[in-house]
Amino acid sequence: MTESPSRFIRDGIECEEVQSARRLSESLLWTLQEEYYASQSLNAWERVPFYSTSRMMFVGAIAELVNSFLLDCIDEFDPQSPIYILELGGGSGCFAYRFINHLKELMGDFERLKKLELRYILSDFTKSNIDAHLSNLRLKPFFDSGELDVGVYSPENDTAIKLEVSGALLERGALKNPLLVIANYLFDTIKHDAFRVVDGSLQETKFALFREVSRQSDSDSDRDGSGSRLSGSDYDQDGSDARRTNPTIQEIRMSEVYSDLELPYYRDPHLDSILHFYRSELSDSSVIFPIGAMRSIANLSHLAADKLALFVSDKGFASLESKQVLGLRTQEFAEHGAFSFDVNFDALQRYVENRGGNALIESGDHSSLGFMFATTWKPTCELTRHFFRQYLQKRDICNASYNLEEFTFVGCEKGQNFVRPYLTNFISIVQSSNFDPFIFDGAFARLFENLVPELTEMDLEQEHEVTDLVGRTFRNVFNVANDYCDLAAIFEFCMCWQKYEFCLALAKEANASLGVSRKAFDYAAIASEHLDRREDAYEYFRQALELEPDHDWAREGMERNKPQ
Ligand SMILES: C[S@@+](CC[C@H](N)C(=O)[O-])C[C@H]1O[C@@H](n2cnc3c(N)ncnc32)[C@H](O)[C@@H]1O
């Protein structure tokens, strides 16, 4: 490798240095990350995966865990004061919407919980996401009832949060009850450090950033905001590294430099004792260290006056024998518009326990989701532990259901081998997904040919069951990134079932509760046509055309139903 101050050749490709080697948590990467999310707002979810932590099986599992915790700690709660559930990095808001509905339903089964007043706070570090949630019609009933509030909150930096709707300031001393915190795919997104243990010595891994010059010019012609770009002033903040170039996350490459380190490193005994442990217990290992998550826990614990319960779901590893740790290897991030690192749940558990709390972790070693349930004090949590152990650890229901979905869809595609009745299969698939609209859509599309003839042959009992199933699935629809596929599948199902009144009612409800959409007007129009309500059909087709002026099908519909 030949090297000049800013340009060098690596693997035969000309590269440019973006930032010299430094501690990972001090890297420009995190500025790029924040800029990406702040600039993309809700459009981020066109590229950043969200399905895994928004699907109904996952929502159901976290709601069960929280419900168990409420039952466990019922005697610790003051029913005269609200119990806050704070979601960090809430992203699209889909999880929040589905979770509130689901938890309310679960709590309704327990007389003891009815006296509790819950407030859900959907937070994110960027105001643009919060503003979008405030105008989301699906969330509006919860804002109106006071069950939901939103706030800008950066857990690595803040120890208080101002709520946008109620105006309340949540800070230390203001909470009368323990604070429940949910973090889904957040700790993999915020700051990390990295270390290696080599021959019994601890090394700090520093990261230099560079980019391939050819890639830079490729992407210079594609400046449509699909990747984060540093502004000149941000990039100049570090005088020695100032470059007049604007890297995106996609362009960034990392190289590592190692140097021996002495403890204490963080000058925080809760953190340094973990490094001590790693130095004494590991040999030839590479350790990513979730320092952002740990700072977040410290800040949240302060806010909650040390009564903090954490429900964390993330990709990562729990065992120090996992492939992410063993051996001297380079750290890598996954790029998906933004980027993410694997979360070291082992370090998180040790950190919580060092602070006097308890933590249960589930190995995400061979799957996309790992879990931690932690409290910064030591309440008796029998039911929560039971659910965690039986369902998240032993049966690993979130990851198992994810894999089963794929398996089921492959089965559906080979539908001719399915045993009749297809309707029973369809009902089972949707029920076992916990009424997930995406699964409804996928199963309906794949079973369509064989299923549709059966829809009009249902007995009364099945009619009730399917009505309930469609209603529940519809309630779970939450459009992310303007994707109306799930909604269209439900309408189409009702049309094939020849339930035109039901389809019409759902289409009206969709326009009212999700915002007006061409799809809802389309189906309201054809349902009205089937019901021989020509004037209504004409009007719905007209409204569909108004939303999409080159929608020829709606124009033809208007022509067919034109008032005489
Ligand atoms: C991968 S997304 C996860 C979103 C959502 N929880 C989910 O599971 O779909 C990461 C979230 O973290 C937020 N985020 C990014 N950088 C952050 C930071 N420095 N502090 C707090 N949140 C951040 C983003 O706005 C985004 O909502």
Side-chain angles (χ1 to χ4, degrees), residues 33-34 37 45 48-50 53 87-91 124-126 129 153-156 184-186 189-190:
Q33 178 89 305
E34 291 194 1
Y37 279 108
W45 283 275
V48 178
F50 68 92
T53 47
E87 185 188 352
L88 308 175
D124 216 314
F125 81 110
T126 162
N129 282 2
Y153 183 67
S154 164
E156 288 169 294
N184 300 331
Y185 280 154
L186 185 264
T189 299
I190 59 178

Side-chain angles (χ1 to χ4, degrees), residues 30 33-38 41-42 44-45 48-54 58 87-95 123-126 129 133 153-157 182-191 296 313-314 336 338-340:
W30 312 106
Q33 178 89 305
E34 291 194 1
E35 289 209 352
Y36 178 84
Y37 279 108
S41 187
L42 296 194
W45 283 275
V48 178
F50 68 92
Y51 174 66
S52 174
T53 47
S54 296
F58 175 85
E87 185 188 352
L88 308 175
S92 68
C94 183
F95 174 86
S123 80
D124 216 314
F125 81 110
T126 162
N129 282 2
H133 298 322
Y153 183 67
S154 164
E156 288 169 294
N157 305 308
I182 294 175
N184 300 331
Y185 280 154
L186 185 264
F187 288 166
D188 64 349
T189 299
I190 59 178
K191 288 176 182 159
S296 300
S313 309
D314 238 307
H336 34 69
F339 67 87
S340 52

